[in-house]
Amino acid sequence: AGMKVPRSSEQQYRASMPVKRSHMRSGDLLFFNIEGKVSHVGIYLGNNKFIHAPSSGKQVSIVSLDNPYWKQRLVKTGRFF
């Protein structure tokens, strides 16, 4: 698509423009703090759901933002365009 996006989740976190949860749209990035640092990113799908690749060996999955594990770890929603 001709866009340069930082590689690591921490770099993406710093470089993305913040988006209010009430203004999220499909394709926005969701940043999660795992064990004290931003180390996981999901892609918002709409309808309060996101897609992400969990730890190695697990399948890509779609999860609700109401899931207690993810809800308490969400630290930012952002986008690059």
Side-chain angles (χ1 to χ4, degrees):
M3 290 188 62
K4 291 187 177 193
V5 176
R7 190 195 69 76
S8 76
S9 48
E10 181 65 35
Q11 291 169 335
Q12 291 173 11
Y13 173 84
R14 287 193 308 265
S16 65
M17 296 177 295
V19 175
K20 291 182 181 180
R21 267 193 83 168
S22 59
H23 292 97
M24 286 190 309
R25 50 184 202 221
S26 298
D28 285 342
L29 300 178
L30 306 171
F31 297 93
F32 299 93
N33 183 321
I34 310 293
E35 298 179 1
K37 64 181 180 176
V38 175
S39 60
H40 194 74
V41 182
I43 302 171
Y44 186 63
L45 298 174
N47 296 321
N48 213 37
K49 298 196 181 296
F50 70 99
I51 190 166
H52 74 116
S55 56
S56 297
K58 295 183 181 177
Q59 291 186 338
V60 171
S61 60
I62 296 173
V63 183
S64 170
L65 280 170
D66 291 327
N67 176 301
Y69 179 86
W70 296 109
K71 188 175 188 174
Q72 71 181 14
R73 289 168 173 81
L74 180 64
V75 293
K76 180 182 175 182
T77 57
R79 68 176 65 125
F80 286 104
F81 51 93

